[in-house]
């Protein structure tokens, strides 16, 4: 079910890692063309286009007055949530909020020279748009991870779009929105929802930044509207790498690999281990555990297509491979997790020890589970408060300070052939 590779099989290992890296979200030309047409139509026809696409793609006929979900509908759906699930959602909200409160930045100012004051002002964006997918991809936990950092940042208006059946089919989504006091929700899904958030319609407001997961049409739409509006990222298939030695339990390792594999066939789950025993026992555990999973077919295909157990010569070698992959999630199950972590440069999130499965990060712990995928941990970070704020530079010069600096400013401007720049500085000397 899962390929087992020894690290000295260089060509075979390189080929497998390349297959894993090649999973991506780069949309094909036909998809981009289709999504671009939807975006143009929404920009041109506004609500009328949203109503037409809702009828075509969701099989529901709505009037413009029905695009916004009434608060009573939200609350009625939220009431259907199991009480223990609701308690767990509330704990998740508390933990996520506490973690993200620590990310808040303060404005600051310095005085590098007499008469010169420089600074940076931190301010929230005005409007954030959250896309919540429907169907099997309607994850209430993602609503928490997107809304809470925006609220902590101070965003005053949070707008949610989601396919028209989401709230009825997934009442936990409604419960989260009610708990977070988010009531501006629109029954619009797909690329057309992204277009509406990016450019606005008669009913749906234009926002400043769009976040949240979605299918390939949503991902393509976010890519196309970027620039007119900010986005979080173009998220790819989810992934986990586990580094383990002979101290690790095979049943735990297998369970964590399957927890990632059940996301989608394109998900990737990889074990890097120094242990022959763990290699054998994990492979056997995967075969044993997968049969009881409702999503076993997806899990099996994921492991066959994009999974691997790699037997390495040392933990140093495991770290080198992990850094090369720059995984979204990295679990450590070794006798020296701190020492191993010190060698990791590229990872979205690191989970220490066999009692810290990646699932706790998905739902309850507090750090954001919206993480860089597909190797983008090399240059990207988890979603956070900093994604919902702006940094504005502040400059103040006195008359004496500009007189001291004008000559140098003019010299640099002249070196670039920009005489108006030079003149605007030198005129302050004449004053």
């Amino acid at each position: 079910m899962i390929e087992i590779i020894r690290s000295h099989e260089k060509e075979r290992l390189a080929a497998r890692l390349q297959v894993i890296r090649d999973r991506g979200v780069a949309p094909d030309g036909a998809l981009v063309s289709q999504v671009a047409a939807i975006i143009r139509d929404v920009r041109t026809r506004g609500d009328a286009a949203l109503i037409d696409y809702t009828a075509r793609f969701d099989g529901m006929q709505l009037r413009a007055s029905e695009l916004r979900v009434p608060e009573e509908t939200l609350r009625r759906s939220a009431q259907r949530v199991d009480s223990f699930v609701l308690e767990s959602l509330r704990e998740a909200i508390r933990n996520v909020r506490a973690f993200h409160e620590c990310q808040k930045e303060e404005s600051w100012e310095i005085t590098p020279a007499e008469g010169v004051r420089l600074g940076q002002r931190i301010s929230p964006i005005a409007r954030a748009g959250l896309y919540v997918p429907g169907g099997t991809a309607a994850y209430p936990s993602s609503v928490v991870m997107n809304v809470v950092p925006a609220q902590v940042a101070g965003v005053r208006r949070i707008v949610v779009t989601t396919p028209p059946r989401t709230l009825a089919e997934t009442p936990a989504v409604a419960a989260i929105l009610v708990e977070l006091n988010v009531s501006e929700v629109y029954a619009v899904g797909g690329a057309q929802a992204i277009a509406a958030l990016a450019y606005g319609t008669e009913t749906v407001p234009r926002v400043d930044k769009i976040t949240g997961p979605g299918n390939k049409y949503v991902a393509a739409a976010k890519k196309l509207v970027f620039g007119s509006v900010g986005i979080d990222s173009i998220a790819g298939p989810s992934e986990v790498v586990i580094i383990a030695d002979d101290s690790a339990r095979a049943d735990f390792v297998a369970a964590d690999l399957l927890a990632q594999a059940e996301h989608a066939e394109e998900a990737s789950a990889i074990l890097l281990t120094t242990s022959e025993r763990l290699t054998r026992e994990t492979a056997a555990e995967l075969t044993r555990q997968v049969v009881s999973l409702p999503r076993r077919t997806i899990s099996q295909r994921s492991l066959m297509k994009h999974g691997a157990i790699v037997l390495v010569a040392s933990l140093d070698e495991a770290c080198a491979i992990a850094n090369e992959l720059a995984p979204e999630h990295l679990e450590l199950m070794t006798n020296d997790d701190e020492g191993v972590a010190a060698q990791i440069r590229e990872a979205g999130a690191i989970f220490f020890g066999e009692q810290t499965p990646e699932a706790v990060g998905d739902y309850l712990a507090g750090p954001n589970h919206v993480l860089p995928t597909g190797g983008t941990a090399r240059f990207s970070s988890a979603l956070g408060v900093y994604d919902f704020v702006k940094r504005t530079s502040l400059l103040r010069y006195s008359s004496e300070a500009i007189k001291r600096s004008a000559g140098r400013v003019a010299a640099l401007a002249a070196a670039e052939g920009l005489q108006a720049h030079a003149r605007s500085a030198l005129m302050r000397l004449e004053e």
Side-chain angles (χ1 to χ4, degrees):
M1 180 171 64
I2 190 169
E3 187 171 4
I4 299 174
I5 307 170
R6 294 177 181 272
S7 61
H8 65 75
E9 301 174 280
K10 300 296 185 184
E11 292 185 6
R12 187 178 166 210
L13 177 59
R16 189 60 172 173
L17 295 181
Q18 191 59 49
V19 167
I20 292 166
R21 283 194 213 91
D22 285 346
R23 302 169 311 127
V25 294
D28 59 52
L31 174 62
V32 169
S33 178
Q34 182 181 357
V35 170
I38 291 173
I39 292 172
R40 287 193 300 271
D41 194 23
V42 172
R43 293 189 71 177
T44 302
R45 297 197 298 127
D47 284 352
L50 298 182
I51 290 167
D52 287 349
Y53 289 122
T54 300
R56 185 190 309 180
F57 299 135
D58 298 297
M60 293 187 66
Q61 190 65 53
L62 299 179
R63 296 187 296 271
S65 61
E66 296 173 317
L67 289 174
R68 180 162 178 172
V69 177
E71 286 190 49
E72 178 55 33
T73 300
L74 272 178
R75 295 186 181 280
R76 190 165 54 246
S77 180
Q79 289 171 357
R80 295 163 44 216
V81 174
D82 175 83
S83 60
F84 187 67
V85 171
L86 184 59
E87 290 175 16
S88 301
L89 291 173
R90 287 171 175 164
E91 182 176 346
I93 291 171
R94 288 194 296 270
N95 293 346
V96 173
R97 193 177 299 280
F99 182 89
H100 287 79
E101 284 284 349
C102 297
Q103 294 181 342
K104 292 171 71 173
E105 299 176 90
E106 298 294 333
S107 300
W108 52 266
E109 188 174 282
I110 60 173
T111 305
E114 186 177 351
V116 178
R117 291 164 57 198
L118 307 175
Q120 180 173 266
R121 177 190 296 158
I122 305 297
S123 56
I125 62 175
R127 298 173 299 275
L130 167 60
Y131 183 80
V132 179
T136 58
Y139 298 131
S141 57
S142 289
V143 180
V144 177
M145 298 295 178
N146 282 269
V147 171
V148 170
Q151 290 180 332
V152 172
V155 178
R156 292 188 176 183
R157 189 173 186 182
I158 298 174
V159 179
V160 174
T161 60
T162 190
R165 291 188 175 85
T166 302
L167 300 177
E169 295 177 350
T170 315
V173 169
I176 284 288
L177 294 173
V178 170
E179 289 294 318
L180 293 172
N181 199 30
V182 175
S183 59
E184 190 170 359
V185 182
Y186 297 91
V188 183
Q192 61 271 25
I194 302 302
L197 290 171
Y199 301 108
T201 69
E202 299 92 330
T203 300
V204 182
R206 178 177 183 174
V207 301
D208 303 308
K209 189 161 192 173
I210 300 171
T211 69
N215 62 18
K216 62 182 180 180
Y217 296 95
V218 170
K222 287 169 72 175
K223 191 177 184 72
L224 290 173
V225 302
F226 176 62
S228 297
V229 67
I231 64 171
D232 48 357
S233 65
I234 307 297
S238 193
E239 61 213 13
V240 69
V241 169
I242 300 175
I243 296 178
D245 60 18
D246 201 51
S247 65
R249 286 179 49 169
D251 55 347
F252 284 3
V253 172
D256 293 358
L257 292 173
L258 287 168
Q260 201 65 39
E262 74 173 347
H263 272 293
E265 291 183 21
E266 299 304 310
S268 176
I270 299 170
L271 168 63
L272 306 174
T273 181
T274 55
S275 171
E276 289 266 11
R277 174 200 61 81
L278 189 64
T279 297
R280 295 191 306 272
E281 292 183 3
T282 299
E285 278 290 327
L286 287 170
T287 301
R288 184 184 69 82
Q289 292 185 28
V290 76
V291 297
S292 62
L293 296 177
R295 296 168 68 91
R296 61 181 172 275
T297 300
I298 290 173
S299 302
Q300 288 168 333
R301 289 175 179 170
S302 168
L303 292 175
M304 285 189 291
K305 291 168 63 178
H306 302 114
I309 297 176
V310 182
L311 185 61
V312 295
S314 65
L315 290 176
D316 290 347
E317 186 177 24
C319 291
I321 295 173
N323 283 323
E324 187 179 346
L325 290 169
E328 177 187 16
H329 309 104
L330 177 67
E331 292 190 13
L332 305 179
M333 299 187 197
T334 72
N335 279 314
D336 183 18
D337 292 337
E338 296 293 341
V340 172
Q343 297 187 61
I344 298 299
R345 302 184 309 277
E346 326 286 3
I350 303 176
F351 300 77
F352 289 76
E354 65 178 20
Q355 302 303 326
T356 316
E358 186 269 327
V360 300
D362 275 347
Y363 296 108
L364 201 68
N368 208 291
H369 79 196
V370 181
L371 296 164
T373 59
T376 59
R378 294 175 294 112
F379 54 83
S380 297
S381 306
L383 187 73
V385 172
Y386 29 74
D387 291 293
F388 296 96
V389 299
K390 302 171 294 178
R391 299 167 184 84
T392 303
S393 297
L394 308 175
L395 300 85
R396 298 182 179 90
Y397 269 57
S398 68
S399 176
E400 292 74 17
I402 189 62
K403 285 181 171 61
R404 291 197 307 270
S405 303
R408 296 188 185 279
V409 172
L412 294 171
E416 295 185 352
L418 299 175
Q419 294 302 327
H421 281 66
R423 182 187 297 166
S424 75
L426 293 174
M427 286 182 70
R428 269 65 180 182
L429 295 176
E430 298 171 8
E431 183 183 341

